[in-house]
Amino acid sequence: MPVIAAGTVVLGDRVCRPGWLSVTDGRIADCGAGPPPVAPDVDLGAAVVVPGFVDIHVHGGAGGGYADSPADIDRAATLHARHGTTGGLASLVTAAPKALLAQVRTLADATRRGVVDGIHLEGPWLSRVHCGAHDRAWLRAPDAAEVDALLAAGDGTIRMVTLAPELPGALATIRRLVEAGIVVAVGHTDADYDQTRAAVDAGATVATHLFNAMRALHHRDPGPVPALLSDPRVTVEAIADGVHLHEGTIRHIVATAGPQRVALVTDAMAAAGVGDGVFTLGGLDVDVVDGVARLRGTTTIAGSTATMDRLFATAVRLLGEQVDADTALAAAARMTATTPARTLGLHRTGTLAAGRDADLVALDRDWRVSRVMRRGAWVG
């Protein structure tokens, strides 16, 4: 039963200085504040230990995408694991029907191999008005036969679907997906306020990258943002990469919804961990310049190049300007692990507690990752 000690350990909403945990068979057997009850097998010194990050919206990294080959999928997952992501989904963008089915089957196998925790379909049932970095040629309204075919191809591995609720058949599709145990997210949408509320009433519980790729807020036409942000049933994604959202917007989201309803996501594409260059996303050319990904020849942002440790550091800094250090630290851990895990029903991860998977990240004083453990094994 290896015992791990550190100068700071976040256990739920408690910040323990120092703290410890013990691991048996890939799970946390016990944990607590103060010095460990026995001499530690691993002493992480002044490190800050938080739950392993859970990214519910990420498209790739290390030069590979989750729509690509098994080798690309493994390479992307490994890159994000080294930056602290120990759980979450592999996201797919809009594609032609046959191509999307093939991508789902490949990712279903990766899920069964334990590389990722499941699949997020971001499309193809999205708005042409707010398509973002999705191929408009393949956007379509949901079709019952296609929904059933994708669910069959996923064989239980599709865990979240993003769609635009104003499309014909969208509400019936939301109910169908919820009945199948799938989390439904509202995103890439031109829905008005009432259409968005109807989607939530039908069972949608997530806002895909709030504010981005959706009808803008207007005082006489509020659109989806306030309907999603104010509803206690909804978890809102926020891409805190310094590009997608202004820092004031991030503060507003957290202040309104609270850390218990905010899931920080990377929306990372293949360039994460690689640097500037030319890439593709969903068959579209993407140029990455100064770390910002945009569709070639446009100003349209095409995902991010961020990793979850960067988002965690941003959250600690922004919240630390308004609350005490321990409150900011606990809130950042909640938004990068606890809330996204709860939203997806990943009950074995997301917090450091007895009985949970031993998924943890050790960070130094500058919030850089020093060690990562996933299911009881050190990564890298």
Side-chain angles (χ1 to χ4, degrees), residues 279-316:
F279 302 86
T280 60
L281 179 64
L284 302 177
D285 291 329
V286 176
D287 293 318
V288 178
V289 179
D290 295 330
V292 180
R294 299 186 189 277
L295 290 184
R296 177 165 297 170
T298 77
T299 60
T300 300
I301 301 172
S304 89
T305 61
T307 48
M308 285 294 284
D309 52 339
R310 177 172 151 193
L311 306 191
F312 181 89
T314 296
V316 171

Side-chain angles (χ1 to χ4, degrees), residues 221-270:
D221 180 15
V225 170
L228 297 165
L229 189 56
S230 64
D231 197 310
R233 297 172 290 181
V234 177
T235 297
V236 295
E237 293 182 356
I239 309 173
D241 66 339
V243 177
H244 283 78
L245 297 170
H246 188 278
E247 289 185 353
T249 304
I250 297 170
R251 289 192 189 95
H252 175 67
I253 290 171
V254 178
T256 304
Q260 71 278 5
R261 287 185 47 228
V262 177
L264 298 185
V265 298
T266 62
D267 196 15
M269 44 83 73

